[in-house]
Amino acid sequence: MNIKSEATIEDLYSVPENCKAEIVNGELLLMSPTGFLPGRAGGEIYASLRDYERLTKSGYALPDNVGFLINLPNRRSLSPDAAFYTGKPTGGKFLNGAPVFAAEVRSENDYSETAEKDMASKRRDYFAVGTLVVWDVDVVKEEVIRVYRASNPEQPQIYRRGEVAEAEPAVPGWTMLVDNLFV
């Protein structure tokens, strides 16, 4: 008999350097590195949020690979590609609770039926733990930002090139040109 133990927060802290993971359904889910466009888009979102943080001092802009500890039956952590957090800093430890805003930038392998279901499930988890807005950022195929809100989680607002995206009510007054996500 093979008895498999449930992944712990300690396991998450032990993920090899330069790796990203979340605890989903009791397992450590490792995430692959991403390519140029998705990586750059995540960086641009973070940089814009960082400018907003410095201006408003209303929270913390966070880049890729930051862990947020949550407590759902099916998920113990989140690690968005960029985020805005209004809780208390935790030094070198993972943050407690969810960000108010999370950006998930699609990579090359995020376009299958299974990937769509996984992304929708993750959005539901974000909203279940208090995230107000989740961006689904597609810089590879459709070149859009789908803005999902906890107040209407199944109906995204879509922003395209030439438009200005926002994350109300999570990040009040913050906007970003969609074109900034592209070279």
Side-chain angles (χ1 to χ4, degrees), residues 149-172:
R149 291 179 177 76
S151 60
N152 192 4
E154 300 301 320
Q155 295 297 316
Q157 186 166 4
I158 299 173
Y159 293 96
R160 292 175 168 69
R161 284 180 178 255
E163 296 180 333
V164 178
E166 45 72 37
E168 295 287 341
V171 192

Side-chain angles (χ1 to χ4, degrees), residues 8-177:
T8 66
I9 301 304
E10 290 74 31
D11 294 331
L12 200 56
Y13 276 112
S14 300
V15 170
E17 192 170 330
N18 298 322
C19 286
K20 180 176 174 177
E22 296 176 344
I23 298 176
V24 181
N25 295 321
E27 296 181 13
L28 203 59
L29 178 67
L30 295 176
M31 299 175 184
S32 303
T34 194
F36 173 74
L37 279 176
R40 185 176 182 286
E44 286 292 321
I45 295 166
Y46 163 70
S48 181
L49 286 168
R50 186 192 60 221
D51 291 344
Y52 176 86
E53 171 193 332
R54 290 177 177 163
L55 182 67
T56 66
K57 299 185 183 353
S58 62
Y60 304 96
L62 296 161
D64 190 19
N65 209 19
V66 173
F68 294 84
L69 301 179
I70 60 170
N71 191 14
L72 291 175
N74 63 313
R75 182 183 288 275
R76 298 289 317 278
S77 68
L78 294 161
S79 186
D81 297 309
F84 198 76
Y85 181 72
T86 57
K88 294 185 185 208
T90 54
K93 300 289 185 185
F94 297 133
L95 293 164
N96 294 309
V100 292
F101 165 75
E104 293 287 343
V105 183
R106 289 175 182 248
S107 296
E108 290 287 329
N109 58 349
D110 290 331
Y111 293 94
S112 66
E113 187 176 322
T114 299
E116 291 295 335
K117 288 178 184 176
D118 291 345
M119 293 173 79
S121 176
K122 188 173 185 180
R123 277 194 305 275
R124 284 190 297 275
D125 290 346
Y126 272 117
F127 295 139
V129 293
T131 300
L132 299 175
V133 176
V134 177
W135 276 14
D136 174 355
V137 182
D138 180 350
V139 292
V140 175
K141 293 199 175 184
E142 293 186 47
E143 300 184 344
V144 298
I145 299 172
R146 290 177 187 86
V147 179
Y148 291 88
R149 291 179 177 76
S151 60
N152 192 4
E154 300 301 320
Q155 295 297 316
Q157 186 166 4
I158 299 173
Y159 293 96
R160 292 175 168 69
R161 284 180 178 255
E163 296 180 333
V164 178
E166 45 72 37
E168 295 287 341
V171 192
W174 174 69
T175 61
M176 183 172 179
L177 295 170

